[in-house]
Amino acid sequence: MNTIIITALSLGLLAFAMGVMLYYASIFFYVEEDPLIEEVNEILPQANCGACGVPGCLNFAEKLVKTRDMGLFCPVGGNDLALDIASLMGLEAVERSKMVARVMCQGGDHATRTGEYKGIKSCKAVAIARQNDFTCSYACLGYGDCVAVCDFDSIHIINGVAIVNEEKCTACNDCIIECPINIIELQPYDKTVFIACRSLDPGGPVRKYCSVGCTGCKLCVKACTFEAIHFDNNLAAIIPEKCTNCNDCVTECDTNTIVVSLKGMAEIKESIKSNEKVAL
Amino acid sequence: MRKSLFKPVTFKKGGIHPLENKHLSAHKAIVELPLPDQLSINLSQHLGKKAKAIVEKKQVVCIGDVIAEADGPFSALIHAPASGTIKRIEEKLSAQGIMETTIVIEVNKEKTGIDRSKFETLNEIDLSSFSREELIKKIQQNGIVGQGGAAFPTHMKLSPPLDKQIDVLIINGAECEPYLTADHQLMLEKSMEIIKGTLVLAKILGVEHTFIGIEQNKFDAIDLFTKILNDQNITHIQVIPLITKYPQGGEKQLINAITGRDIPSGQLPFDIGVVVHNVGTAFSIYEALYYNKPVMDRVTTITGFVKNPGNFRIKIGTSFQHAIDTGAQGFLDEERVRSVINGGPMMGQSVRQLDVTVMKGTGGIVALADAEITYQDEGPCIRCSRCIDVCPINLMPLQLADDTIMNNGKLLRDALDCIECGNCSYICPTNRKLVHWIKIGKKVYRTWKVQEEKFNKNI
């Protein structure tokens, strides 16, 4: 009986002593933190993707509250989030137009190959070994390094080429950094027309090695009444500021190189079935 | 024949003994390849910044004219290998697998002879009448770059930072890659010329000791050089026989074998007082000094699954197709060819098209057929550690590959030390593509470093 009482008392006393120490420690070591940081952090998407330029959402909240710089923008939350944060902070929101990633290639199954790549199945591996087996040196390699790195399920390989789901894309830049041949570009979401090709080769070879490549025919340049298409080095490119989404160039282009971007996976799958003049 | 006085040496760690297959082209006299109709010379013939074209379409050029000038000190000049007209300047796939700006020359076959007035022969030159700077300038003006494969601009290698004390010059006659015999043949046919080129290098660097390293499988070259040096009473140049082991010709391995010194990670040979040059480079220096002849061609071994393997003197810019057809008389069976390699089978790369052209650093063109290439999928790592045993740099390839697969940039700093020799891939019993993974690992490390620095600034 005695042993039990002594044990219980001594452990109890020990626990009490530790409790007292913890109480004083919590006062002595208390860190002053602005409660606003936690409030802001609560409404952030917690994707921890780094698109804002800061590592992690908590760090974003900290930096925002400390510097009070409303220029810091979270592309995942977008303008809606920016307005919420602004009302929390009591400052003016700085809105930005939504940007999306776009893959500047439609080759894949439409493009010819010169050899048979037998190495590690990754785009980075192909690019580093310089063993791209497409005849076109600017082709999307199709092994999906971009898909692996996307946190938002916004990019997929369909028919051998990468394509972005613009509804889900948060412009976090991960796929753009990952792509070893740099054919993914950030473009404004509301400019819906783009030229999905990066080949600088002249028309003759392009016609032979890809049925959807830019052949430099310049029909699009002539069709555009807003002078929004720029032609250089055998490749056409759209100037977003001048483009009005009229789609005249899309109609003129007879290799289907100029496309109207598709929003959402449902549309993408639909267009593959119907084979319209749209992005794959 | 006087035998070398030295015991054969080798590098202390790692190495493999692949089948040499040099018998196909060994001891075949160097043959000058007939001129092609067209030469396509890309502007990135060397390490460093690519040259800048100074010719235009339709311009007429003479053999030996400068067609591209160097872009700064870390670059090299390019000369027209033949007389002709500039057909066009375009983006074209190079033998190294990337698109490069290329000057295409339509060759004028009437003017095949070298314009002798441009290249006077000076049988004896008095080296003491040239200053060090004048010699380096002559080397630079003749577009000389390393002929060992990497094509480092030679004038830069000869101008190390002033605080580096160079005491050893090594001439690399190892030629450790299987199949290749170009350097061997050059050593047998042009021994005196190579020695003269070496004397120029020794004078420029002001070194007391010069060593010519030659692998034991080229015992006739060892004996020949030893005899000549002895007859000419040149005592400050020694021939060192090297045990035949791959990659004996690698700079780090060669220096370790001959001097016992190691190059610390991230440093270069001049940091430990050594400069290494290939025998082909020494020969180019001889041609530049004694003949005023710039780099316009090189000796390349065309071998493997071809009708007439051998060693050929080929003009820079000749297509692989032309070289194989006119030099090696075509493939043994075109249907069965699976790969044509630019370089040797260990470190070379398969070319995508046969219209890529010979560059200043192209030491070999190796054709391999279906029976010689067995493709197997990668297996899992069984941690047998053979890759660690064979690595000449003392790395752990299995660990580097694993870190690359797990995308662990932080742990991949050691990948940068890899010389991509291929020993690990060669020895792996489960066919893991170790060199490929480590190449990717280098990129993963560099990407991680950039992101780290960016994030550290942003917090």
Side-chain angles (χ1 to χ4, degrees):
Chain A
M1 206 49 210
N2 261 341
T3 341
I4 295 174
I5 296 172
I6 296 174
T7 316
L9 269 174
S10 49
L11 280 173
L13 266 165
L14 206 54
F16 181 73
M18 298 236 188
V20 169
M21 279 200 290
L22 277 172
Y23 173 70
Y24 279 109
S26 76
I27 296 175
F28 190 68
F29 291 115
Y30 180 67
V31 173
E32 249 330 310
E33 204 189 68
D34 192 338
L36 187 57
I37 294 178
E38 193 43 49
E39 277 179 56
V40 172
N41 190 29
E42 292 268 287
I43 58 169
L44 293 179
Q46 301 307 323
N48 290 316
C49 64
C52 54
V54 191
C57 298
L58 184 56
N59 279 321
F60 174 84
E62 237 182 77
K63 188 169 184 186
L64 187 64
V65 171
K66 286 205 177 126
T67 61
R68 299 186 77 74
D69 175 12
M70 292 305 282
L72 273 172
F73 187 78
C74 170
V76 183
N79 287 326
D80 289 338
L81 180 66
L83 288 167
D84 289 340
I85 293 177
S87 60
L88 264 182
M89 307 263 300
L91 291 169
E92 276 292 314
V94 176
E95 298 195 33
R96 291 193 196 178
S97 58
K98 178 172 157 97
M99 301 287 272
V100 284
R102 287 189 179 143
V103 180
M104 300 288 124
C105 179
Q106 295 182 94
D109 298 344
H110 297 267
T112 62
R113 291 184 199 247
T114 52
E116 231 188 309
Y117 173 71
K118 295 281 211 178
I120 296 168
K121 291 199 172 355
S122 142
C123 312
K124 228 188 291 179
V126 173
I128 279 178
R130 299 168 181 175
Q131 294 283 296
N132 169 15
D133 56 359
F134 281 104
T135 323
C136 175
S137 303
Y138 310 87
C140 164
L141 301 168
Y143 288 106
D145 283 11
C146 48
V147 180
V149 86
C150 180
D151 289 330
F152 302 99
D153 189 33
S154 313
I155 188 167
H156 302 274
I157 303 289
I158 298 179
N159 288 348
V161 73
I163 181 166
V164 177
N165 176 346
E166 296 194 11
E167 286 308 309
K168 283 192 173 178
C169 177
T170 61
C172 75
N173 263 309
D174 279 355
C175 59
I176 294 173
I177 294 171
E178 190 73 1
C179 178
I181 50 176
N182 298 315
I183 56 160
I184 308 182
E185 218 174 81
L186 222 50
Q187 290 190 350
Y189 173 83
D190 45 17
K191 297 290 177 182
T192 52
V193 184
F194 67 100
I195 295 174
C197 180
R198 277 278 177 84
S199 173
L200 299 177
D201 290 334
V206 176
R207 250 176 263 272
K208 285 195 213 126
Y209 66 53
C210 182
S211 57
V212 287
C214 175
T215 56
C217 66
K218 293 197 191 157
L219 282 171
C220 53
V221 183
K222 292 189 199 102
C224 182
T225 48
F226 301 93
E227 291 185 348
I229 303 191
H230 155 79
F231 190 83
D232 196 23
N233 249 329
N234 297 316
L235 181 67
I238 293 181
I239 305 165
E241 298 81 45
K242 294 194 178 165
C243 177
T244 60
N245 294 340
C246 73
N247 286 351
D248 278 352
C249 53
V250 181
T251 326
E252 276 304 308
C253 179
D254 56 25
T255 46
N256 285 358
T257 313
I258 311 189
V259 291
V260 175
S261 67
L262 289 165
K263 319 291 183 202
M265 281 314 283
E267 278 195 15
I268 293 175
K269 293 202 170 121
E270 207 29 69
S271 85
I272 293 171
K273 279 194 235 150
S274 67
N275 216 13
E276 289 170 352
K277 262 193 194 190
V278 286
L280 278 172
Chain B
M1 288 263 173
R2 172 123 196 179
K3 301 269 180 187
S4 167
L5 293 169
F6 296 90
K7 229 178 67 162
V9 289
T10 187
F11 52 98
K12 62 177 183 244
K13 165 80 178 55
I16 53 170
H17 300 277
L19 276 177
E20 289 184 4
N21 284 330
K22 296 195 190 233
H23 60 280
L24 291 169
S25 56
H27 297 108
K28 293 220 173 156
I30 299 172
V31 170
E32 183 126 358
L33 203 72
L35 266 179
D37 294 328
Q38 193 174 290
L39 292 171
S40 300
I41 303 127
N42 77 59
L43 298 179
S44 192
Q45 295 281 331
H46 46 263
L47 276 180
K49 288 185 117 180
K50 55 184 195 187
K52 290 190 290 206
I54 55 167
V55 291
E56 299 172 331
K57 205 168 153 170
K58 301 213 185 129
Q59 188 172 333
V60 175
V61 291
C62 276
I63 181 171
D65 283 352
V66 178
I67 54 174
E69 53 184 26
D71 186 1
F74 195 13
S75 183
L77 285 161
I78 302 179
H79 300 79
S83 302
T85 323
I86 307 292
K87 200 162 169 189
R88 54 179 178 265
I89 300 179
E90 59 178 0
E91 294 291 307
K92 193 173 173 300
L93 190 69
S94 77
Q96 295 181 323
I98 37 185
M99 298 295 276
E100 295 278 10
T101 315
T102 306
I103 300 177
V104 182
I105 301 181
E106 185 86 41
V107 174
N108 180 348
K109 292 211 176 160
E110 312 284 299
K111 294 178 81 178
T112 50
I114 294 175
D115 184 355
R116 279 288 158 194
S117 66
K118 274 208 160 121
F119 307 113
E120 322 112 39
T121 313
L122 311 150
N123 274 315
E124 280 313 314
I125 60 167
D126 182 12
L127 269 185
S128 56
S129 68
F130 288 88
S131 76
R132 196 178 157 263
E133 287 69 32
E134 284 172 330
L135 290 170
I136 297 179
K137 191 135 194 261
K138 256 194 145 32
I139 288 174
Q140 181 174 17
Q141 283 171 337
N142 284 293
I144 299 183
V145 298
Q147 302 254 302
F152 193 91
T154 305
H155 63 272
M156 276 215 80
K157 229 189 210 185
L158 293 169
S159 326
L162 293 166
D163 58 329
K164 308 290 175 192
Q165 300 286 356
I166 309 293
D167 61 332
V168 174
L169 166 66
I170 298 178
I171 302 295
N172 190 350
E175 195 164 45
C176 52
E177 278 265 11
Y179 284 97
L180 304 189
T181 54
D183 284 354
H184 185 187
Q185 201 56 32
L186 195 67
M187 286 194 283
L188 292 175
E189 291 185 20
K190 303 281 182 195
S191 39
M192 198 58 225
E193 290 85 344
I194 292 172
I195 291 173
K196 285 183 174 168
T198 307
L199 287 166
V200 174
L201 285 166
K203 156 139 184 149
I204 294 175
L205 293 167
V207 289
E208 264 188 67
H209 306 286
T210 305
F211 302 107
I212 305 183
I214 305 177
E215 272 194 334
Q216 278 188 301
N217 54 13
K218 300 180 252 301
F219 51 83
D220 45 2
I222 296 174
D223 293 342
L224 179 62
F225 271 70
T226 312
K227 180 174 191 304
I228 294 180
L229 289 168
N230 191 49
D231 291 345
Q232 300 277 323
N233 212 17
I234 301 171
T235 48
H236 60 288
I237 304 181
Q238 322 272 19
V239 175
I240 309 284
L242 304 161
I243 294 180
T244 306
K245 192 165 73 165
Y246 178 85
Q248 185 60 76
E251 206 169 50
K252 296 187 183 29
Q253 288 66 48
L254 190 62
I255 293 174
N256 183 253
I258 293 181
T259 66
R261 300 179 198 175
D262 282 318
I263 306 180
S265 167
Q267 290 188 9
L268 292 165
F270 61 54
D271 288 309
I272 55 167
V274 185
V275 172
V276 180
H277 285 281
N278 181 272
V279 284
T281 316
F283 180 68
S284 296
I285 292 175
Y286 163 82
E287 287 197 302
L289 264 286
Y290 287 72
Y291 275 82
N292 274 328
K293 179 174 173 245
V295 174
M296 303 187 296
D297 52 34
R298 64 156 298 140
V299 182
T300 304
T301 307
I302 307 180
T303 182
F305 202 64
V306 292
K307 294 197 176 120
N308 177 35
N311 307 298
F312 302 90
R313 184 165 282 282
I314 309 181
K315 293 274 183 198
I316 309 296
T318 305
S319 74
F320 275 31
Q321 185 76 65
H322 178 89
I324 293 170
D325 289 341
T326 53
Q329 312 304 322
F331 298 114
L332 282 170
D333 181 353
E334 197 146 344
E335 302 281 304
R336 294 182 55 198
V337 174
R338 287 288 169 271
S339 167
V340 174
I341 303 174
N342 170 24
M346 293 300 294
M347 286 183 75
Q349 278 198 333
S350 278
V351 295
R352 263 159 68 188
Q353 294 155 208
L354 285 178
D355 66 351
V356 296
T357 59
V358 170
M359 296 171 45
K360 287 184 183 179
T362 304
I365 300 175
V366 182
L368 295 174
D370 48 15
E372 296 163 302
I373 300 183
T374 49
Y375 173 74
Q376 272 181 284
D377 277 327
E378 271 195 322
C381 174
I382 60 173
R383 305 183 81 71
C384 67
S385 82
R386 281 181 217 186
C387 55
I388 304 179
D389 291 337
V390 299
C391 177
I393 306 287
N394 227 354
L395 297 172
M396 294 177 67
L398 55 77
Q399 193 59 54
L400 294 174
D402 198 46
D403 290 334
T404 306
I405 294 168
M406 303 305 281
N407 212 5
N408 240 325
K410 196 167 166 186
L411 305 174
L412 282 166
R413 165 60 182 83
D414 284 348
L416 295 183
D417 291 329
C418 170
I419 60 171
E420 299 174 17
C421 66
N423 282 8
C424 49
S425 290
Y426 179 88
I427 211 76
C428 179
T430 54
N431 265 298
R432 290 180 72 69
K433 304 183 194 321
L434 293 166
V435 177
H436 204 171
W437 281 118
I438 297 176
K439 277 189 187 178
I440 300 171
K442 293 184 186 187
K443 180 117 204 277
V444 170
Y445 173 75
R446 291 191 176 118
T447 312
W448 171 82
K449 198 101 203 336
V450 166
Q451 295 286 65
E452 265 291 284
E453 281 163 9
K454 204 163 71 163
F455 280 157
N456 283 335
K457 276 201 305 204
N458 257 331
I459 294 184

